[in-house]
Amino acid sequence: MLFQKKESVLLAVANGRAIELAEVPDDAFASGMLGVGFAIIPSDGTVYAPASGCVESVSDSKHAYTIQTDDGLDLLVHIGIDTVELKGEGFLPMVTAGDRVQAGDVLARVDLNILRGGNFPTVIPVLISNSDAVFIKKTRIGNMIGGEDAVLDYRLVKK
């Protein structure tokens, strides 16, 4: 395996507390089955792009966003757990498929009170679905400023 020389980062997708994926209250995310990454427990409802790239999709229920980063990572930003059941209620996308985003741009706004009122965990997992393409160098845990603070440092792997 060869590594790129340059390190890259993924930013916090919300103001709040960064946690390990293993702490997410959903086995599919916590086990790493869907990819490697981190999660944020948000303190407010603004969700930011973790990296620059192209928005590949916005789910019909407006709770999930996929981004292909400029360096080739396939990212999933998933707002809340089981929030597909809300059928879009409480979610306001600020992007559409095909849009170009810069790291820190606003992806969506979410009414966290609607999630809490329905007993949906508000945690936001951020996954690298093509995890074989990346070496995670460092993951920071703790309080973060969305769209500004780096949570995950990585290098691309070339096989």
Side-chain angles (χ1 to χ4, degrees):
M1 270 193 271
L2 299 171
F3 297 101
Q4 69 179 16
K5 299 210 185 298
K6 181 178 103 107
E7 277 186 27
S8 299
V9 300
L10 296 181
L11 301 180
V13 293
N15 294 324
R17 187 166 55 89
I19 62 171
E20 298 280 351
L21 273 184
E23 295 180 54
V24 172
D26 179 281
D27 287 341
F29 293 115
S31 69
M33 176 187 342
L34 301 174
V36 297
F38 62 92
I40 300 283
I41 299 172
S43 58
D44 64 46
T46 302
V47 180
Y48 302 92
S52 298
C54 182
V55 176
E56 296 290 311
S57 69
V58 176
S59 67
D60 290 341
S61 51
K62 305 171 188 163
H63 75 289
Y65 299 77
T66 59
I67 299 169
Q68 183 167 60
T69 67
D70 290 342
D71 60 1
L73 296 186
D74 295 325
L75 299 182
L76 170 64
V77 178
H78 192 281
I79 306 168
I81 302 299
D82 296 328
T83 47
V84 66
E85 296 175 25
L86 290 172
K87 297 181 176 137
E89 182 185 359
F91 296 93
L92 178 61
M94 304 304 284
V95 296
T96 59
D99 285 354
R100 173 138 180 80
V101 292
Q102 296 299 315
D105 285 354
V106 176
L107 288 179
R109 299 197 192 281
V110 58
D111 186 336
L112 296 177
N113 291 325
I114 290 176
L115 275 64
R116 291 180 188 121
N119 290 318
F120 296 99
T122 60
V123 65
I124 306 172
V126 178
L127 302 173
I128 301 169
S129 56
N130 56 338
S131 54
D132 59 336
V134 68
F135 171 75
I136 306 293
K137 183 153 190 227
K138 180 178 184 176
T139 304
R140 295 170 187 79
I141 302 304
N143 292 330
M144 299 286 163
I145 297 172
E148 293 183 22
D149 289 340
V151 178
L152 190 141
D153 297 357
Y154 68 91
R155 287 187 180 172
L156 293 180
V157 175
K158 298 187 185 196
K159 295 184 177 188

